[in-house]
Amino acid sequence: MPKGNQNVREIPFTEIEENHQLASYWFGRTFCPAVDHRDGGGYQIRVLKSERPRGGQVTTSYDYFELDEQGVVQVAPRGFARDYKPGRVIGLDEAVAKYAAKAGAK
């Protein structure tokens, strides 16, 4: 949780979905959902940062929200910290299930 007695704004997950392009992808046979549990605890939300054509291919880069076990934002994508910190994202377990289900839609 944030230091001291700071008020933590509750952020519905849908607010992040509406304001950022979430990015799931396949890495070989492994599906990497846009929203998932992080190794070591907490959650990760992957957002599209940019897509650039380069040498006949498209180079894609991502940025991340990193959240603790309670959904408190620890790291926000560059330029968005003031919008989301201090904040706690609600609805993460439902979002993890929703994005994991997209693996079957390949």
Side-chain angles (χ1 to χ4, degrees):
M1 295 298 264
K3 297 175 185 169
N5 291 329
Q6 294 178 341
N7 290 330
V8 176
R9 176 173 82 96
E10 287 198 340
I11 304 162
F13 176 76
T14 54
E15 181 178 323
I16 291 175
E17 272 186 315
E18 291 167 0
N19 292 304
H20 300 276
Q21 185 176 348
L22 276 58
S24 298
Y25 63 88
W26 285 90
F27 185 73
R29 293 181 156 196
T30 304
F31 182 68
C32 302
V35 184
D36 205 359
H37 294 280
R38 285 184 14 206
D39 293 338
Y43 300 88
Q44 170 181 286
I45 303 171
R46 182 182 310 102
V47 298
L48 182 66
K49 183 176 178 183
S50 68
E51 291 182 317
R52 286 181 240 127
R54 180 177 267 170
Q57 295 182 343
V58 176
T59 301
T60 304
S61 58
Y62 305 101
D63 209 342
Y64 297 86
F65 285 92
E66 294 178 12
L67 307 104
D68 69 11
E69 294 83 4
Q70 288 79 40
V72 176
V73 177
Q74 303 297 305
V75 175
R78 183 177 175 95
F80 290 97
R82 70 170 178 235
D83 298 325
Y84 295 102
K85 291 176 73 176
R88 184 173 75 85
V89 179
I90 55 175
L92 284 168
D93 289 326
E94 295 84 357
V96 168
K98 173 182 172 181
Y99 281 87
K102 292 186 178 196
K106 181 179 180 184

